[in-house]
Amino acid sequence: MRMTRLLPLAVLATVALFGAGPVFYPDDPLIKEPAPLDVGKVLSRKLSDFYDFLQNDFARPGRHDKHTSAQGVNTLGEPMDGAWYTHRHYFHPMSLEALKLGPDGRTPPAAAGTWTVIKAKSEGVTPGFTIVDQDKRVYFLKFDPLTNPEMATAADVIVARVFYALGYHVPDNYIVYFDESRLVLGNDVMLADKLGYKHKMTRRDLLEILLNVPKDSQGRYRAIASRAVEGKPIGPFRYHGLRQDDPNDIVPHQQRRDLRGLRVFCAWLNHEDSRAVNTLDTVVDDGGRHYIRHYLMDFGSTLGSASTKANPPRSGHEYLFSWRTSARHFFTLGLDLPAWARVHYPDLPSVGRFEASAFNPETWVPEYPNPAFEQCDAADAFWAAKQVMAFTDEQLRALVSTGQYSDPKAESYVSRVLAERRDRVGRAYLEKVLPLDNFAVRGDRLVFEDLGLRHGTVKERALKIAWSNFDNASSHSTPIPGANGFEVPAAPGGTGYYVAEIMQTGDKRRMVKVYVRRTDATLSVAGIDRSW
Amino acid sequence: MTKTGLLFHILVICCIWHHGAAAQVATRAEQIQQERRQRVPQLKPDDVTRTEAFLRWLHDDKILARVGAGFNGLRAKMGGMVTGGGFGAGPEYFREDLFSGRLSFRAAAQTSTRGYNRFEVETVAPRLAQNRFFVSSRAVHHNYSGLPYYGPGPDSAKTGRTNYRFEDVSVDGFAGVQPLRALRLGASAGYTTINVGPGRDNRYASTDVTYTAATVPGLDRQTDFVRYGPFVELDFRDDKLGPRDGGRYLFQQTWYDDRGLNRYSFRRMDIDLEQYIGLFNHRRVFALRAHSVLTDTDAGRLVPFYLQPDLGGSENLRGFRPFRFRDNNLLVMNGEYRWETFSGLDMALFADAGKVFARRSQLNFHGLESSVGFGFRFNARNRTFLRLDVGFSHEGYQIWLKFNDHFAPRPLGTSGTHPVL
């Protein structure tokens, strides 16, 4: 039986090694990380995309690590509010309006005045500009490929809002329409040609870049305007190891629940481009204290988009390279046809290739191995799946509407596929563990929500429960005879702990231990421990 | 103190220290802060390894692109000689930024390990008047000291291999219109002067020793030609550099007028049909090609052997050596089944069949030579940058390592009818 303990590993290690130190502290469960230490001076550094590919495909960092349960969580198994993550939609349901607004949603580039181009790139994945509007706000403009108008920009806006609702730090993205007269060149803007040689950018350069940008039916250019995120950029984070210059980065990234569970979110949204270079760390000034905040960036290669073209059919189904699948295709002469090759995609250029029928959340893969994703276990996946399932069809439609598809069929299709993929995520992962969540004590009764019943992954479930007294110092539990109901066993005053072991009748494998703290007359949930 | 005793003491000290540290915290928040503080002495810049820095430099500074582009347009040109000509190298001057990118210019000089020389100058304006017109010109000089010749016709013996020197100077130009995205119409004209001499490859006899002008037209005397003619190309492939669906059909008629001897004038018709059938989201592709060159002459005229179409080699009949068969007419068909093993490699199984023949009336499927084989197609961004084909025939096997797609089309116009490129 594989088992995970959601209580922080450090606690257990302390208890096991030294026999001292409590399992639970009075402030457990922590909802928010303590205030970060000042990070001091941090140098910016870039990562190599190609090195990242080679390292993760062939060296596979973390491959030989012994699997451990996720860290960076509180005693409920939830990542805490902090530099990586914030509790959002699942925990505090957001309104349709809030979902559509995302991180801000109210400060697009100023509609009046001109936008001054201060930086441009004509090469790379997509052409783009850095602009400053008349209110001195900085945005990055990115465009769609000529072959697929609206595809990448819609995906970028929609998925940024979904990731925001899921709790991640993301940029504030807007769809904007403009004509070329809106853009003016700043002073001494340099443009690199395809050989990397820079020259002073001219109006002609700008217009030539725009030649490769589709226009809408009114002759306007459509772009995504991504507002510069807060703080000083210092380069991407990796999906393994620690930042060497960040005192607050104490959990190896491949062990973080918010990065391991990210695999499920990326599968749902087909964010196969979820690699290090599509992240960004910034140094944020928080009232004079500086700390590093971690962002997910660049969602142009999500849903059915590969930024410059529609997703290749392989997307999400096979790595760009793997020995096993390559050998299979090689030796079978291609006759072992994968299911994804037989998928029919609707002719919707603004969508690209996005569908649900061949989507399997458990076998979904990004472009190349991601060390954190490879560590994703049933508890990580459950943590993510319950959040995916929290989006209703109506909420998904609202989120998709932010992509501003001109074709109603495209909007309807993307909404429907997202809902179908959501349901597949739920069916795949909710029942990997006993899907009880949102534990609380009301009066003297332990209450919770059965997410399997709520989302229809089971029709009914019979549960059994057994209570024990729990010694917080030694972690020893003593069964309480006859305590087999959902009422917390009566006990005299003072501080103490109980643990309830909840199982499904006839299933000895999946269990949830709920630790209840008694402080004088108050009962509260101190922690959760899942096994499967 | 024994080693064991020392270890025990260290362990005890560590436990006491750690116990003390753990005991100091009263809350989870303090515990986390303590872990953070313990990291502070270990902090250092989060830099990248030298290997990563090198790869980043290669990418960010576009080093490979710069090397490929050369210095102010001057660069090294490697490879590209006729098959069997050895490895060629030499300087090349290439500019594609002339007239705001509307005109490209290329001049190259190459010599090979077998002593073959090639000089060429090319100008191309592929997109004029909003992509409606295109013009191009090309001048080339070859001096190939030992091209293979196996004798005339489809029955030539493998053991009959000889070699001859091929020297030429050719100047061609073409212009055309593109009324539709998939349709190009045009005409071209050029002048070529060719000299044939004794071969320098000592491994084989010289052609003029083994064969006579009676059976090999043009072996004794060469002449100059004016060549001209129209072409029409229908190209609806989904991706011109890495097609997986669609087709390309080319019809071209060329008149070769003998300007010196009035003996070798002929007409040549090229038909080149390619069709790609992409299945299963284009992860499996059947690539089919039929290519025919048909010539005819007025009474008393002949097609010189060095301008006859040839069969064999990496571009058509891959189980046979290059230039294995020559005659007035050619028919060759290729079929490939390609499948993707991973995003950077396609595999292929192929079958080739073809023949050369003396008269147009012999255009049929009788007497075809055939070969089969397999290939590896290495791709980057859906473009084949390297292919390895292994072809088998009753004459043995051939291995081809080429830096192009198998069906890479020859140049349009009269220069595309030249025997060597």
Side-chain angles (χ1 to χ4, degrees), chain A residues 11 28 194-195 238 246, chain B residues 28 39 52 56 66 96:
Chain A
V11 177
D28 282 327
K194 66 181 183 181
L195 298 180
R238 289 187 171 89
D246 184 3
Chain B
R28 182 73 63 201
R39 263 209 97 202
E52 182 164 12
R56 198 183 65 203
R66 289 186 187 190
E96 57 179 353

Side-chain angles (χ1 to χ4, degrees), chain B residues 132-167:
Chain B
R132 292 294 185 213
F133 293 92
F134 51 93
V135 297
S136 169
S137 69
R138 183 168 184 255
V140 63
H141 165 63
H142 301 96
N143 185 356
Y144 291 172
S145 58
L147 282 185
Y149 184 69
Y150 290 85
D155 300 321
S156 61
K158 182 181 176 184
T159 53
R161 177 169 177 173
T162 62
N163 77 107
Y164 66 99
R165 175 186 291 277
F166 177 92
E167 288 180 290

Side-chain angles (χ1 to χ4, degrees), chain A residues 8 10-11 14 17-18 20-28 30 33-37 39 43 45-48 50-52 54 75 80 123-124 192-197 204 208 238 242-250 312-314 318-322 325-326 329-330 332-338 340-345 353, chain B residues 11 14-16 18-19 22-23 25-33 35-40 42-57 59-72 94 96 99-100 102 181 279-284 337-345 347 349 376 381-382:
Chain A
V11 177
T14 305
L17 281 175
F18 309 113
V23 176
F24 297 103
Y25 288 100
D27 57 344
D28 282 327
L30 270 188
E33 288 181 352
L37 300 185
V39 74
L43 297 177
R45 57 102 178 90
K46 285 183 177 178
L47 301 183
S48 162
F50 192 49
Y51 182 86
D52 194 54
L54 293 176
T75 49
M80 293 164 277
E123 298 295 318
D193 62 18
K194 66 181 183 181
L195 298 180
Y197 297 116
R204 185 190 181 94
E208 284 190 353
R238 289 187 171 89
L242 300 168
R243 274 202 76 107
Q244 301 300 311
D245 51 5
D246 184 3
N248 302 302
D249 198 19
I250 56 176
R314 167 206 51 76
E318 289 180 6
Y319 290 127
L320 288 173
F321 173 79
S322 90
T325 53
S326 299
H329 294 318
F330 181 91
T332 63
L333 309 182
L335 299 177
D336 178 19
L337 201 64
W340 54 262
R342 291 191 287 263
V343 171
H344 172 72
Y345 294 93
R353 288 196 182 96
Chain B
L11 192 59
C14 285
C15 286
I16 291 170
H18 200 290
H19 190 174
V25 299
T27 64
R28 182 73 63 201
E30 287 178 23
Q31 185 199 39
I32 293 171
Q33 291 294 47
E35 282 188 55
R36 290 170 170 174
R37 282 192 293 269
Q38 285 171 357
R39 263 209 97 202
V40 170
Q42 305 158 16
L43 295 180
K44 58 183 180 181
D46 192 72
D47 215 342
V48 298
T49 64
R50 286 187 178 183
T51 306
E52 182 164 12
F54 173 74
L55 289 173
R56 198 183 65 203
W57 171 71
H59 176 267
D60 290 357
D61 289 8
K62 304 181 187 303
I63 300 304
L64 296 180
R66 289 186 187 190
V67 168
F71 180 72
N72 284 339
F94 178 62
E96 57 179 353
F99 295 96
S100 301
R102 293 187 185 87
R181 186 183 178 90
L279 302 174
F280 307 113
N281 287 315
H282 298 171
R283 298 307 96 181
R284 308 289 183 266
Y337 163 63
R338 302 173 181 173
W339 74 97
E340 184 181 81
T341 54
F342 66 92
S343 61
L345 175 66
M347 296 291 300
L349 294 176
F376 301 78
R381 301 186 181 198
N382 202 35

Side-chain angles (χ1 to χ4, degrees), chain B residues 118-231:
Chain B
R118 181 171 70 176
F119 305 91
E120 58 184 326
V121 177
E122 186 178 53
T123 56
V124 180
R127 291 180 294 274
L128 297 175
Q130 296 186 324
N131 297 343
R132 292 294 185 213
F133 293 92
F134 51 93
V135 297
S136 169
S137 69
R138 183 168 184 255
V140 63
H141 165 63
H142 301 96
N143 185 356
Y144 291 172
S145 58
L147 282 185
Y149 184 69
Y150 290 85
D155 300 321
S156 61
K158 182 181 176 184
T159 53
R161 177 169 177 173
T162 62
N163 77 107
Y164 66 99
R165 175 186 291 277
F166 177 92
E167 288 180 290
D168 74 328
V169 174
S170 304
V171 179
D172 296 275
F174 76 80
V177 297
Q178 189 167 1
L180 300 172
R181 186 183 178 90
L183 181 65
R184 293 206 291 178
L185 310 165
S188 68
Y191 190 90
T192 182
T193 176
I194 296 175
N195 177 51
V196 167
R200 286 289 190 88
D201 189 337
N202 294 330
R203 296 173 296 172
Y204 307 102
S206 182
T207 302
D208 60 334
V209 172
T210 303
Y211 302 100
T212 65
T215 55
V216 181
L219 182 60
D220 54 343
R221 299 178 69 190
Q222 294 83 48
T223 184
D224 300 347
F225 294 91
V226 167
R227 54 190 182 188
Y228 51 90
F231 61 82

Side-chain angles (χ1 to χ4, degrees), chain A residues 206-243:
Chain A
L206 190 147
L207 296 178
E208 284 190 353
I209 291 174
L210 290 176
L211 277 178
N212 294 311
V213 173
K215 292 181 177 178
D216 73 355
S217 56
Q218 299 175 46
R220 301 173 302 176
Y221 297 106
R222 172 183 156 123
I224 176 177
S226 184
R227 190 173 177 192
V229 297
E230 180 187 354
K232 175 194 164 196
I234 54 170
F237 65 79
R238 289 187 171 89
Y239 281 91
H240 61 89
L242 300 168
R243 274 202 76 107

Side-chain angles (χ1 to χ4, degrees), chain A residues 112-157:
Chain A
T114 56
W115 299 342
T116 305
V117 176
I118 58 171
K119 204 172 176 183
K121 64 166 187 167
S122 58
E123 298 295 318
V125 176
T126 50
F129 304 115
T130 305
I131 60 158
V132 179
D133 70 0
Q134 66 172 16
D135 298 326
K136 308 297 180 196
R137 293 187 296 248
V138 177
Y139 297 85
F140 305 101
L141 293 188
K142 292 183 289 184
F143 303 98
D144 290 300
L146 284 169
T147 52
N148 297 79
E150 302 180 1
M151 179 185 69
T153 50
D156 213 326
V157 166

